[in-house]
Amino acid sequence: DGLIGLGEGSLEGRADAVSAAIDRLGQALIGSRFRAGHEAARWVMARLDESAGLVEAAAASALEQALQDLIARFRGQRLAESLGAVQRDPIPMYANINRGTTSRQPAQFAERALRAARQGFAGIKLAPFDGLTPETCDTPAGRAQIDAGLARVAAVREAFDAHGLNDRSLMVDCHWRFSDQRSADMIHELAALRVDWYECPVPETPAHFDTLKRLRSAANARGMRLAGAELMVGLQGFQPILRAGLYDVVMPDVKYVGGLEETLRVAAAAAYFGTQCSPHNPSGPICHAQSVHVASVIPNMPLLEVQFEETPRFAEIADLGLPTFVNGASALPKGPGLGVTLVS
């Protein structure tokens, strides 16, 4: 009938594989009928078993997003309202300045952090430890990379102090680069710079659960939240993490977790365990629009991530309906459905 639903299926370096997986799953979709979004979500998740990798998860999640959009458009509903009761509009955000900081010099991190803070974003996140790995972090070369990363964080903190912006959250993403011992040592070094968000210090495998529990306790004692779990697939992927009490904030990504309904299931489980849910969202405009809708209905959602000034294409790809950021927040797109269309 001419209606189109949009989802984002992106996985860095794996675009062709995700596209092929979408084609395979899409063939099975033809002829299916869904009366509501939750029926489409069940259909998608039934095709993701526990052994599914990120390629299959990205494909399934993209189709679930698109189906949710399509069904909401067909019903004449705004996507957020088809998912549940809207808790907030606009949706407060934090700015991920990392990938757009191309020179990697401390001064450029500071300059971009100030730009984002002055636009009203409540938090600023960077991933400063370039090139570091768990295998090298305890070597002299690794120590030099850590010191370079800390200099980037320190430059942002000094810029905030100098310009009266100490109400902004300073957030550091470590991309699983530390050994267990180094991850514990970093708490003291980051706390000295008044970092209050410590993300993904070590891999989220069962072998690291005890470390993560100790890290959360130590981070909390120094005024920091521990955050992570951005690549987990399905509620089943999050349940061991939540039961073990590893994080203050879990970060399901609508592109990998299974889509919107699965994000909401993770958020509900997190709330049961006293954990916040902040969707992972340093992605393109369609994932961003999907994430804005789902974040608006999550009760235990502190802030939503967004990439900051990485490329003008972020606004150019989506032709109509993608709200601009005002005071570090985004209004919900106007309906029906996602409320966003692509450039034709």
Side-chain angles (χ1 to χ4, degrees), residues 2 7 21 28 35 68 113 270 296:
R35 291 170 294 181
Q68 293 282 1
S296 75

Side-chain angles (χ1 to χ4, degrees), residues 27-41:
Q27 289 301 311
L29 181 65
I30 293 170
S32 301
R33 291 181 176 271
F34 306 113
R35 291 170 294 181
H38 63 84
E39 294 179 357

Side-chain angles (χ1 to χ4, degrees), residues 7 18 26 28 40 75 138 155 157 160 167-168 175 184 197 204 214 220 234 278 281 288-289 326:
V18 172
R75 298 171 71 175
D138 296 313
R157 169 51 62 200
F160 285 175
D167 59 337
R168 302 304 194 268
H175 287 157
W197 173 290
E204 289 125 353
R214 290 193 296 270
N220 291 173
S278 175
N281 180 43
H288 172 67
V326 177

Side-chain angles (χ1 to χ4, degrees), residues 35-37 68-84 293 333-339:
R35 291 170 294 181
Q68 293 282 1
D69 180 20
L70 184 63
I71 291 166
R73 290 181 197 255
F74 179 79
R75 298 171 71 175
Q77 283 185 302
R78 192 159 58 167
L79 180 56
E81 291 155 356
S82 75
L83 295 171
H293 279 283
K334 301 187 184 301
L338 189 63

Side-chain angles (χ1 to χ4, degrees), residues 49 57 167 211-212:
D49 59 34
D167 59 337
T211 294
L212 284 166

Side-chain angles (χ1 to χ4, degrees), residues 199-212:
E199 182 179 329
C200 294
V202 296
E204 289 125 353
T205 59
H208 292 92
F209 278 15
D210 286 345
T211 294
L212 284 166

